[in-house]
Amino acid sequence: MEPRTLHLLPLFTSLVSLLSLPLPSHSSNDDFVFMGCSQIKYTPNSPYESNLDSVLTSLANSATYSTYNNFTIMGSSPQDVVYGLYQCRGDLSMPDCATCVARAVSQLGSLCSQTCGGALQLQGCFVKYDNDTFLGVEDKTVVLKKCGPSVGYEAERMGRRDAVLGSMGASSGGYRVGGSGDVQGVAQCVGDLSVGECQDCVSEAISRLKTDCGTAVYGDMFLGKCYARYTTAGAHTYAHPNHDSSHDDGEKTFAIIVGLLAGVALIIIFLTFMRKVFEGNGKFLSFFFLLLWCINYLF
């Protein structure tokens, strides 16, 4: 092989490697699900505010190494005590968990400004604080119910949905997933519940899902200390990246740039090869100008 061709191979290899790189992704873990704030306000610059800051800081720091934790900051009087916890979705990596909790803590500070209690559920995590103790207390109050559109009763699909929900209800553990064909489900308890309380809460959420959402293509049932969700035919996603228009535009731009670079590399390699073929008989320049004319005519 001619030396002029050899030094082009690293460029071509780099471009092939670039083509194999994954496209940038946008996580949906920070997407808003629900929130709630107490009506009781605390006094600015009070001991309660200081203790609340300590709890929220502890939650954010702890999320860098644990997917669940709770904290209690005692005060000189009962009204200064602050309880707090966070819970990340069971499939999140530690970096994603930490990012989600940090985002939730930051949003709670503005959404529930100067309130003695607040809770925020994002797609990837849950954060709550209050002056009244809620740690270890089962809560099956319906916080959020969301049912997708109904497409009528389809025996096969509804049968798979019920099987998935039943499988999750019969499973153990704080985080449960299930799937059958195009039906997927997920359920989770907050980590301060006992095994029995978790089972009771998830069973209640699943029962309400089947009753309240009927033949809906997807359903979300969030209770005070657990949730259960299902989706059919990709109607709703819970743990997968959510692509927005700006992200799609970025993917298209990335693909166009890579395609252009690869095309240029292939043209250079092709011209180098043809120069070697025609070298010595005076036909290379004629072929080169003919190629340029063809490219200009096509584009």
PDB file of all heavy atoms in Angstrom, residues 65-79:
ATOM      1  N   TYR A  65     -24.815   8.037  48.436  1.00  0.00           N
ATOM      2  CA  TYR A  65     -24.349   6.682  48.732  1.00  0.00           C
ATOM      3  C   TYR A  65     -25.468   5.725  49.152  1.00  0.00           C
ATOM      4  O   TYR A  65     -25.211   4.547  49.398  1.00  0.00           O
ATOM      5  CB  TYR A  65     -23.281   6.710  49.825  1.00  0.00           C
ATOM      6  CG  TYR A  65     -23.718   7.334  51.143  1.00  0.00           C
ATOM      7  CD1 TYR A  65     -24.420   6.600  52.101  1.00  0.00           C
ATOM      8  CD2 TYR A  65     -23.427   8.671  51.421  1.00  0.00           C
ATOM      9  CE1 TYR A  65     -24.817   7.185  53.294  1.00  0.00           C
ATOM     10  CE2 TYR A  65     -23.830   9.252  52.616  1.00  0.00           C
ATOM     11  CZ  TYR A  65     -24.513   8.504  53.547  1.00  0.00           C
ATOM     12  OH  TYR A  65     -24.909   9.081  54.724  1.00  0.00           O
ATOM     13  N   SER A  66     -26.718   6.190  49.233  1.00  0.00           N
ATOM     14  CA  SER A  66     -27.815   5.312  49.627  1.00  0.00           C
ATOM     15  C   SER A  66     -29.092   5.733  48.902  1.00  0.00           C
ATOM     16  O   SER A  66     -29.334   6.933  48.729  1.00  0.00           O
ATOM     17  CB  SER A  66     -28.036   5.369  51.146  1.00  0.00           C
ATOM     18  OG  SER A  66     -29.136   4.562  51.530  1.00  0.00           O
ATOM     19  N   THR A  67     -29.900   4.749  48.492  1.00  0.00           N
ATOM     20  CA  THR A  67     -31.123   5.077  47.754  1.00  0.00           C
ATOM     21  C   THR A  67     -32.287   5.415  48.674  1.00  0.00           C
ATOM     22  O   THR A  67     -33.351   5.817  48.204  1.00  0.00           O
ATOM     23  CB  THR A  67     -31.543   3.901  46.855  1.00  0.00           C
ATOM     24  OG1 THR A  67     -31.705   2.721  47.655  1.00  0.00           O
ATOM     25  CG2 THR A  67     -30.482   3.643  45.786  1.00  0.00           C
ATOM     26  N   TYR A  68     -32.112   5.214  49.991  1.00  0.00           N
ATOM     27  CA  TYR A  68     -33.141   5.606  50.954  1.00  0.00           C
ATOM     28  C   TYR A  68     -32.475   5.996  52.273  1.00  0.00           C
ATOM     29  O   TYR A  68     -31.486   5.397  52.691  1.00  0.00           O
ATOM     30  CB  TYR A  68     -34.131   4.472  51.237  1.00  0.00           C
ATOM     31  CG  TYR A  68     -34.945   4.716  52.496  1.00  0.00           C
ATOM     32  CD1 TYR A  68     -36.023   5.587  52.479  1.00  0.00           C
ATOM     33  CD2 TYR A  68     -34.583   4.134  53.717  1.00  0.00           C
ATOM     34  CE1 TYR A  68     -36.742   5.857  53.635  1.00  0.00           C
ATOM     35  CE2 TYR A  68     -35.295   4.390  54.873  1.00  0.00           C
ATOM     36  CZ  TYR A  68     -36.377   5.257  54.830  1.00  0.00           C
ATOM     37  OH  TYR A  68     -37.074   5.544  55.974  1.00  0.00           O
ATOM     38  N   ASN A  69     -33.059   7.000  52.942  1.00  0.00           N
ATOM     39  CA  ASN A  69     -32.611   7.340  54.293  1.00  0.00           C
ATOM     40  C   ASN A  69     -33.618   8.304  54.921  1.00  0.00           C
ATOM     41  O   ASN A  69     -34.414   8.935  54.206  1.00  0.00           O
ATOM     42  CB  ASN A  69     -31.215   7.975  54.299  1.00  0.00           C
ATOM     43  CG  ASN A  69     -30.432   7.613  55.547  1.00  0.00           C
ATOM     44  OD1 ASN A  69     -31.002   7.237  56.573  1.00  0.00           O
ATOM     45  ND2 ASN A  69     -29.107   7.731  55.474  1.00  0.00           N
ATOM     46  N   ASN A  70     -33.585   8.388  56.228  1.00  0.00           N
ATOM     47  CA  ASN A  70     -34.422   9.358  56.928  1.00  0.00           C
ATOM     48  C   ASN A  70     -33.614   9.997  58.056  1.00  0.00           C
ATOM     49  O   ASN A  70     -32.662   9.405  58.569  1.00  0.00           O
ATOM     50  CB  ASN A  70     -35.695   8.713  57.472  1.00  0.00           C
ATOM     51  CG  ASN A  70     -35.423   7.707  58.581  1.00  0.00           C
ATOM     52  OD1 ASN A  70     -35.153   8.073  59.729  1.00  0.00           O
ATOM     53  ND2 ASN A  70     -35.510   6.418  58.253  1.00  0.00           N
ATOM     54  N   PHE A  71     -34.007  11.204  58.415  1.00  0.00           N
ATOM     55  CA  PHE A  71     -33.287  11.962  59.430  1.00  0.00           C
ATOM     56  C   PHE A  71     -34.287  12.677  60.338  1.00  0.00           C
ATOM     57  O   PHE A  71     -35.375  13.068  59.903  1.00  0.00           O
ATOM     58  CB  PHE A  71     -32.356  12.993  58.789  1.00  0.00           C
ATOM     59  CG  PHE A  71     -31.229  12.392  58.004  1.00  0.00           C
ATOM     60  CD1 PHE A  71     -31.384  12.112  56.655  1.00  0.00           C
ATOM     61  CD2 PHE A  71     -30.015  12.087  58.615  1.00  0.00           C
ATOM     62  CE1 PHE A  71     -30.363  11.555  55.930  1.00  0.00           C
ATOM     63  CE2 PHE A  71     -28.982  11.530  57.899  1.00  0.00           C
ATOM     64  CZ  PHE A  71     -29.151  11.254  56.549  1.00  0.00           C
ATOM     65  N   THR A  72     -33.871  12.848  61.585  1.00  0.00           N
ATOM     66  CA  THR A  72     -34.647  13.620  62.556  1.00  0.00           C
ATOM     67  C   THR A  72     -33.710  14.602  63.240  1.00  0.00           C
ATOM     68  O   THR A  72     -32.667  14.209  63.761  1.00  0.00           O
ATOM     69  CB  THR A  72     -35.285  12.707  63.619  1.00  0.00           C
ATOM     70  OG1 THR A  72     -36.152  11.766  62.981  1.00  0.00           O
ATOM     71  CG2 THR A  72     -36.084  13.534  64.619  1.00  0.00           C
ATOM     72  N   ILE A  73     -34.057  15.862  63.197  1.00  0.00           N
ATOM     73  CA  ILE A  73     -33.291  16.898  63.872  1.00  0.00           C
ATOM     74  C   ILE A  73     -34.108  17.397  65.060  1.00  0.00           C
ATOM     75  O   ILE A  73     -35.200  17.941  64.893  1.00  0.00           O
ATOM     76  CB  ILE A  73     -32.956  18.083  62.937  1.00  0.00           C
ATOM     77  CG1 ILE A  73     -32.195  17.596  61.717  1.00  0.00           C
ATOM     78  CG2 ILE A  73     -32.159  19.146  63.694  1.00  0.00           C
ATOM     79  CD1 ILE A  73     -30.821  17.025  62.027  1.00  0.00           C
ATOM     80  N   MET A  74     -33.595  17.144  66.247  1.00  0.00           N
ATOM     81  CA  MET A  74     -34.300  17.551  67.454  1.00  0.00           C
ATOM     82  C   MET A  74     -34.079  19.037  67.731  1.00  0.00           C
ATOM     83  O   MET A  74     -33.057  19.617  67.328  1.00  0.00           O
ATOM     84  CB  MET A  74     -33.830  16.730  68.651  1.00  0.00           C
ATOM     85  CG  MET A  74     -33.949  15.227  68.449  1.00  0.00           C
ATOM     86  SD  MET A  74     -35.633  14.681  68.079  1.00  0.00           S
ATOM     87  CE  MET A  74     -36.449  15.108  69.640  1.00  0.00           C
ATOM     88  N   GLY A  75     -35.042  19.649  68.403  1.00  0.00           N
ATOM     89  CA  GLY A  75     -34.939  21.059  68.762  1.00  0.00           C
ATOM     90  C   GLY A  75     -35.094  21.251  70.252  1.00  0.00           C
ATOM     91  O   GLY A  75     -35.355  20.303  70.998  1.00  0.00           O
ATOM     92  N   SER A  76     -34.940  22.471  70.678  1.00  0.00           N
ATOM     93  CA  SER A  76     -35.089  22.783  72.099  1.00  0.00           C
ATOM     94  C   SER A  76     -36.540  22.690  72.545  1.00  0.00           C
ATOM     95  O   SER A  76     -36.831  22.612  73.739  1.00  0.00           O
ATOM     96  CB  SER A  76     -34.541  24.187  72.385  1.00  0.00           C
ATOM     97  OG  SER A  76     -35.193  25.153  71.572  1.00  0.00           O
ATOM     98  N   SER A  77     -37.459  22.695  71.572  1.00  0.00           N
ATOM     99  CA  SER A  77     -38.887  22.555  71.876  1.00  0.00           C
ATOM    100  C   SER A  77     -39.513  21.675  70.800  1.00  0.00           C
ATOM    101  O   SER A  77     -38.965  21.540  69.695  1.00  0.00           O
ATOM    102  CB  SER A  77     -39.566  23.928  71.910  1.00  0.00           C
ATOM    103  OG  SER A  77     -39.484  24.555  70.648  1.00  0.00           O
ATOM    104  N   PRO A  78     -40.664  21.049  71.065  1.00  0.00           N
ATOM    105  CA  PRO A  78     -41.304  20.143  70.099  1.00  0.00           C
ATOM    106  C   PRO A  78     -41.578  20.789  68.742  1.00  0.00           C
ATOM    107  O   PRO A  78     -41.499  20.123  67.707  1.00  0.00           O
ATOM    108  CB  PRO A  78     -42.605  19.752  70.803  1.00  0.00           C
ATOM    109  CG  PRO A  78     -42.306  19.892  72.257  1.00  0.00           C
ATOM    110  CD  PRO A  78     -41.393  21.074  72.358  1.00  0.00           C
ATOM    111  N   GLN A  79     -41.895  22.073  68.743  1.00  0.00           N
ATOM    112  CA  GLN A  79     -42.222  22.714  67.472  1.00  0.00           C
ATOM    113  C   GLN A  79     -41.000  22.958  66.584  1.00  0.00           C
ATOM    114  O   GLN A  79     -41.149  23.369  65.433  1.00  0.00           O
ATOM    115  CB  GLN A  79     -42.968  24.037  67.693  1.00  0.00           C
ATOM    116  CG  GLN A  79     -42.201  25.082  68.474  1.00  0.00           C
ATOM    117  CD  GLN A  79     -42.578  25.056  69.940  1.00  0.00           C
ATOM    118  OE1 GLN A  79     -42.949  23.998  70.490  1.00  0.00           O
ATOM    119  NE2 GLN A  79     -42.510  26.209  70.589  1.00  0.00           N
TER     120      GLN A  79
END
